[in-house]
Amino acid sequence: MKKAHFGAQVDNNGNCTFRLFAPHIQDVGMTLNTKPDHTFMLSPAEHGFHELTINDIAPDSSYSFLLDGSKKFPDPASLWQPEGLNSYSTIFDHHKFDWKGDNFSGLPIHEMIIYEAHIGTFSKEGTIHGLMSKLDHLSELGINTLELMPVAQFAGSRGWGNETIFPYAVHNSYGTPDELKALVKASHKLGIAVVLDVEFCQHCFMKDFNAAYTPFFSDSRTMAWGKTINFDEEYSFGVREFYIQCALSWLRDFHIDGLRINNTHSILDQSPVHFLEELSVRIRSFENKNKRKCVLIIDDKHNSPRPIMPADKGGFGLDALWSDDFHHALHHRITGDVNGVFRDYSSPEKMVSAMQHGFAYRGQFSEHRKRIHGCNQQELSGSKLIVYSQNHDQTICSGDECRTIKKAGFEAAKLSAGATLLSPYTPLLFMGEEYGETAPFHYFSDSVEAPLPSAFNEQELDSLSFEAPDPYEDSTFTSSHLDWNKKESEQGKSMFEFYKKLLTLRREHPVLKEPCHSRCQVQELQPGLIMMIRNPSASDGRYASIIFNFNKTAISEKLEAYLPKGPWTLELYSAAKAFGGDQSPLDKILSDSTPLKLAPQSFALYFHTPLNIY
């Protein structure tokens, strides 16, 4: 099958080729806004495609398709819907943007420090331009990867973006395609990679245009939101290629540095080559040809390591997956929450397992899920697991107290940050946590076309011990905006300096910057007191040790028996006055004879330097 673009593509000479996958349609017509009374007919091509080339087409022309004489409808692969969800798509020439000076080639997953942001609520403007105005803030913080929640055209003007309708097009309320490119270029100038969330597992569409999408959906399988995407049934070859070309378009035309594919556990595919494996192979080929690094991240609720295992070991060759296990275990330890899924993480060993292995469940029975969860596979590089104390999904789980700082307090929020950023995994921050943002991040929408998000659709629904606000109320959206004034408060300044210090240490210390959990030992010394020792890859003895007190009371422990001999120097104490705490400073050198006393919900980081004896 010909592997080529979908939709309208303009070449360097101003000629435009239109390509539509519609194997169930006999005649495909097209109209242009510049010639509204004339219908162009697309020629049938192999495997159910229809094609047409028009020379010297007028820039920014709009077009629509007619299927077997039906009413006009937009292109499923539309690159630009400036008027939203109407009957026309606009031709967009990607060649016109000036990429001169953009020599950024991407980052490998093991170097990434990820910051997740939602364009519509990140800034007062709620636009791409508004986010771009805060890039210096991210650079100062120490972020090198910006992950954007879906920016593809979705229903309505506001939403999470998971209700994607035109997966190739930039959402018109956020800005233009060229404005997104400008954001990417400006990010690259600061050494920041840009990763984009995409929805390849569920596809929302306007009911009036149902005829265009008939091959896209399975006839035999459904999920909570409706029919699943057709990845392995009749005409699935064209559907798979539609999403692969979509991925390549974001990477090629927008210079995006990676994709996070949401809800990949809902991809039902019994093909000899799984869709994710085929996507991985195609992206690796694109990388090699363009000398770039493009990461592929997934969100898989099954704790399956197979997608991120190498292809030669039976995996799909993806780069990393989100570890909800780590969040759930940490959330329980910090808050004591046992509602819904969190009751599965109430036993002490779950936090230790999540810190040691990245997964709390590796083939054990889950009482909440009523099944075996995860599997005890070979050890993976720590960089292949992305961990977080907050993200967009998890902030809806506790009502108005969705943020850690709101639910558990300032010191607990710093403790959560330490457990995440000093872990041997790839860390992710959710927008605003770096200065102690308290605003919730509710699910919101202003379109009846939008389905509820996956976290509401699946088993975790009963983890909500509150009545979620009406997603269609204006206040639900406005209350989810970041309040940047909080950054200028005394607490906000202390929290920001705390995060900066943690990220600097992770970036610069040879042990902390290496995401290798096979050289990490975690043990619970007494209830609520957990020690993590990070071992160096070199034989220089430069260990790091972090002692976490998850208790709400102070705790003491002699550490001599648990640590290698030699001086241990205090590098950071989360309860110190420099970071907004009120505790007396700890001794600079860890005592061999005196117990270490940690304040409630705090942690201390020590570095080890071996003595040279001649």
Side-chain angles (χ1 to χ4, degrees):
M1 186 187 79
K2 179 181 177 182
K3 293 182 170 69
H5 73 92
F6 286 63
Q9 186 173 73
V10 181
D11 64 21
N12 289 319
N13 299 315
N15 305 320
C16 186
T17 298
F18 300 85
R19 195 163 184 259
L20 177 72
F21 178 63
H24 57 304
I25 299 298
Q26 292 295 317
D27 298 313
V28 177
M30 188 192 73
T31 62
L32 290 172
N33 65 331
T34 54
K35 297 182 179 180
D37 297 327
H38 179 75
T39 299
F40 298 87
M41 299 305 297
L42 278 70
S43 300
E46 62 178 356
H47 301 302
F49 286 87
H50 302 259
E51 298 177 352
L52 170 70
T53 298
I54 298 179
N55 297 330
D56 300 319
I57 198 162
D60 302 320
S61 297
S62 295
Y63 66 101
S64 59
F65 289 124
L66 299 93
L67 303 184
D68 288 338
S70 68
K71 63 180 182 180
K72 298 175 183 178
F73 71 93
D75 185 353
S78 171
L79 295 177
W80 183 220
Q81 294 289 132
E83 303 301 324
L85 311 178
N86 61 19
S87 60
Y88 283 93
S89 299
T90 297
I91 296 168
F92 192 87
D93 186 355
H94 280 301
H95 296 98
K96 292 183 177 180
F97 187 81
D98 181 10
W99 285 106
K100 185 178 179 181
D102 183 35
N103 301 314
F104 192 80
S105 59
L107 292 174
I109 192 70
H110 70 266
E111 292 182 9
M112 286 186 167
I113 298 173
I114 305 172
Y115 186 98
E116 185 188 24
H118 176 268
I119 290 176
T121 56
F122 183 78
S123 68
K124 180 180 179 181
E125 300 88 345
T127 62
I128 294 169
H129 180 75
L131 191 151
M132 190 158 58
S133 70
K134 300 289 187 182
L135 287 179
D136 285 341
H137 165 82
L138 300 184
S139 181
E140 181 187 359
L141 176 60
I143 297 299
N144 65 15
T145 304
L146 171 62
E147 180 178 326
L148 299 175
M149 288 182 64
V151 303
Q153 184 71 50
F154 55 83
S157 62
R158 63 175 186 255
W160 277 20
N162 59 322
E163 58 277 14
T164 296
I165 292 181
F166 296 102
Y168 287 70
V170 174
H171 185 58
N172 64 318
S173 295
Y174 290 164
T176 68
D178 278 351
E179 286 175 333
L180 179 60
K181 294 176 185 180
L183 170 65
V184 173
K185 186 176 180 180
S187 298
H188 287 173
K189 188 175 181 180
L190 294 172
I192 299 174
V194 181
V195 172
L196 189 66
D197 285 8
V198 292
E199 295 287 344
F200 290 173
C201 308
Q202 62 188 68
H203 194 139
C204 185
F205 62 92
M206 304 293 285
K207 293 179 181 178
D208 290 344
F209 308 137
N210 183 43
Y213 294 93
T214 298
F216 281 72
F217 297 96
S218 170
D219 289 328
S220 59
R221 301 170 182 147
T222 60
M223 288 287 185
W225 56 80
K227 290 184 177 181
T228 63
I229 299 294
N230 171 25
F231 286 109
D232 62 357
E233 296 177 1
E234 189 176 63
Y235 302 133
S236 60
F237 57 86
V239 178
R240 293 163 72 103
E241 190 64 20
F242 177 88
Y243 290 109
I244 290 172
Q245 289 294 334
C246 181
L248 290 170
S249 175
W250 290 115
L251 302 177
R252 178 188 62 243
D253 301 326
F254 292 87
H255 289 205
I256 295 293
D257 304 292
L259 302 173
R260 173 187 166 270
I261 307 167
N262 196 27
N263 291 330
T264 55
H265 54 277
S266 64
I267 293 179
L268 305 180
D269 183 7
Q270 297 184 21
S271 304
V273 177
H274 193 279
F275 168 73
L276 291 177
E277 183 179 0
E278 183 180 2
L279 176 66
S280 177
V281 169
R282 298 282 291 281
I283 298 304
R284 301 311 171 211
S285 175
F286 173 85
E287 282 182 323
N288 293 333
K289 289 179 181 177
N290 293 275
K291 296 185 168 119
R292 289 174 53 193
K293 179 58 187 173
C294 302
V295 298
L296 288 174
I297 301 168
I298 60 170
D299 171 28
D300 188 309
K301 305 296 185 187
H302 291 163
N303 276 19
S304 172
R306 184 183 178 191
I308 55 174
M309 290 171 59
D312 59 3
K313 295 185 178 179
F316 298 158
L318 306 179
D319 291 283
L321 64 81
W322 278 22
S323 174
D324 276 353
D325 257 18
F326 186 94
H327 168 271
H328 294 347
L330 181 59
H331 175 84
H332 167 75
R333 278 294 180 121
I334 293 291
T335 67
D337 191 351
V338 292
N339 290 304
V341 71
F342 298 117
R343 70 173 177 263
D344 271 356
Y345 298 84
S346 58
S347 57
E349 70 271 10
K350 295 307 179 188
M351 186 72 248
V352 174
S353 178
M355 296 174 85
Q356 178 72 69
H357 304 289
F359 292 129
Y361 279 85
R362 299 188 300 147
Q364 294 84 28
F365 182 78
S366 162
E367 186 63 37
H368 174 74
R369 301 172 180 89
K370 305 299 181 187
R371 58 175 171 80
I372 300 297
H373 190 52
C375 62
N376 191 14
Q377 280 275 8
Q378 65 183 49
E379 291 294 325
L380 298 162
S381 167
S383 65
K384 287 188 168 291
L385 301 178
I386 295 175
V387 298
Y388 33 83
S389 61
Q390 302 175 61
N391 67 22
H392 75 274
D393 271 334
Q394 304 308 332
T395 55
I396 64 173
C397 291
S398 304
D400 286 334
E401 296 183 348
C402 64
R403 298 277 191 168
T404 304
I405 194 170
K406 189 80 177 287
K407 188 174 181 66
F410 180 63
E411 296 300 331
K414 290 188 289 181
L415 176 60
S416 288
T420 303
L421 299 180
L422 298 177
S423 74
Y425 309 104
T426 299
L428 177 144
L429 287 68
F430 185 58
M431 60 179 191
E433 71 169 270
E434 73 277 11
Y435 61 82
E437 179 61 69
T438 58
F441 189 70
H442 297 306
Y443 178 69
F444 47 82
S445 174
D446 63 352
S447 172
V448 294
E449 295 291 336
L452 285 171
S454 58
F456 277 44
N457 285 331
E458 300 184 7
Q459 292 177 322
E460 294 189 10
L461 179 63
D462 64 6
S463 71
L464 303 178
S465 56
F466 66 97
E467 184 176 349
D470 185 345
Y472 304 109
E473 287 288 337
D474 288 346
S475 59
T476 304
F477 172 63
T478 57
S479 65
S480 299
H481 277 71
L482 298 186
D483 180 1
W484 286 94
N485 291 325
K486 285 188 170 66
K487 186 194 169 192
E488 303 308 318
S489 67
E490 288 304 313
Q491 181 172 281
K493 291 177 181 177
S494 296
M495 184 68 92
F496 187 70
E497 290 303 316
F498 175 73
Y499 269 80
K500 279 177 60 178
K501 177 68 173 179
L502 281 177
L503 292 177
T504 299
L505 290 170
R506 181 182 178 98
R507 185 172 58 251
E508 295 181 354
H509 195 277
V511 171
L512 296 180
K513 75 178 182 180
E514 184 178 9
C516 181
H517 57 154
S518 64
R519 288 193 293 275
C520 172
Q521 292 81 44
V522 182
Q523 57 181 320
E524 189 153 10
L525 309 182
Q526 54 176 291
L529 185 68
I530 294 180
M531 172 185 282
M532 175 186 289
I533 300 177
R534 303 284 304 274
N535 301 339
S537 57
S539 57
D540 57 10
R542 297 181 65 185
Y543 298 93
S545 178
I546 312 103
I547 303 94
F548 301 94
N549 178 17
F550 287 96
N551 297 291
K552 295 183 179 180
T553 57
I555 196 167
S556 298
E557 178 69 35
K558 288 190 67 174
L559 303 176
E560 180 184 11
Y562 305 104
L563 295 170
K565 296 292 184 182
W568 286 89
T569 305
L570 179 68
E571 184 63 33
L572 183 147
Y573 181 33
S574 66
K577 293 179 181 178
F579 304 121
D582 59 2
Q583 297 296 307
S584 299
L586 298 177
D587 291 339
K588 186 66 176 176
I589 302 298
L590 186 64
S591 172
D592 290 339
S593 56
T594 305
L596 173 68
K597 184 177 181 180
L598 290 179
Q601 294 187 308
S602 69
F603 71 91
L605 167 65
Y606 289 89
F607 289 150
H608 173 265
T609 304
L611 294 173
N612 291 319
I613 301 176
Y614 297 95

